[in-house]
Amino acid sequence: MSIRIATINDVREAEDVIRNHVSPVPLIRSYALEKKLGLPSSRRVWLKDYGWTPVGSFKLLGALNWMSNNLERIGQRSVVAHSSGNFASGISFAGMRFEKRVVVIMPDSAARVKFDLTRSFGAEVRTYDISQDHLTGERDRLTREIAEEEGAIQASPYDDPYVIAGNGVGGLEIVNELRALGRDVSQFICQVSGGGLMAGHALAIADGFPQAKIIGVEPEGADDFCQSLKAGRRIRVERPTSICDGLLSYDVGEHNWPILQQHVPQAVSIPDAATQQAMKWLYKVHGLRTEPSGAITTAALLSGNVRLDGEGDIVIVLSGRNLDEESFQEWITIS
């Protein structure tokens, strides 16, 4: 079966959709990281903090674009999706905006804030046991059953060209803002899970700053993309483990893989302990609360896992901030 791969033109078309609903996400200069990394005064570090969206993560962008482009197909039917939590609230918000019923399948261990956000926008939530999902396949089964038995349209949280293109609007925002300032980019550092965030951003960054090195970041216990790059094909991790609950996909999506292969030649894996240190550093230095999945890119810089050669600026993505206070305090209470 042939698949349609998203392009930079799809990202540009998605921008009109996104701007009807949300404003651009702030791009924040980190003087502290510039000093910490020992960069010369000519180079800057920028944080793209998706915690500022109405759902506290980047997932809103792809969800809005997917919903907008599937309205005719959805008609009066419901939308169903599975999610660790952030796409759940994103597709729920999109359903609210377009007046569509949404059902989401979430792990019963998801952060309470993710349940609360998702329900606050009107979605129905059903849960599954993520600890046994690698054996039971319950997540996909429940999603498929709802689609078949209730006639719902299934939305993928990452493996879809409209989702990829919507996410890529954030990359366009980065390009447009830095170009307006007369800046160049040497390194763009972004999380990789299913690949929807990185694929969309890679399209925009590669188009706007062709010389930039685009670098993926994953947890050590969920490094399917790192393995896939080495193998030259998609590798599945049967039981991904990490405190980064938003980065626990089994593999990158079919629609994402060709884009990642073309534009993302390098990826690094980061231990959870380094991610915890980065969460603590971001909170202490910048006052930013980030979920582990959001802080892992900062961890890649602070731990020296990324070479920072070149003369341009460095951009890192903070993908979201949705975590419970108890978990946050536990993770940053480290030596």
Side-chain angles (χ1 to χ4, degrees), residues 175-247:
V175 170
N176 292 339
E177 186 165 348
L178 292 184
R179 275 181 165 179
L181 294 172
R183 308 301 300 176
D184 196 6
V185 173
S186 292
Q187 286 86 15
F188 174 75
I189 303 165
C190 181
Q191 299 81 349
V192 180
S193 181
L197 172 65
M198 174 59 103
H201 279 65
L203 288 170
I205 298 298
D207 180 75
F209 298 107
Q211 303 307 313
K213 295 179 181 177
I214 302 177
I215 302 163
V217 184
E218 293 178 297
E220 279 189 347
D223 64 342
D224 56 282
F225 180 59
C226 288
Q227 294 184 44
S228 298
L229 280 181
K230 292 176 183 177
R233 59 185 176 85
R234 292 165 64 225
I235 297 294
R236 178 181 173 90
V237 172
E238 292 299 333
R239 194 174 185 181
T241 57
S242 173
I243 63 172
C244 303
D245 66 326
L247 303 180

Side-chain angles (χ1 to χ4, degrees), residues 278-298:
M279 291 171 68
K280 181 177 181 178
W281 189 90
L282 284 165
Y283 186 62
K284 180 179 179 181
V285 176
H286 283 304
L288 290 175
R289 293 177 78 263
T290 58
E291 58 187 280
S293 301
I296 194 171
T297 47
T298 305

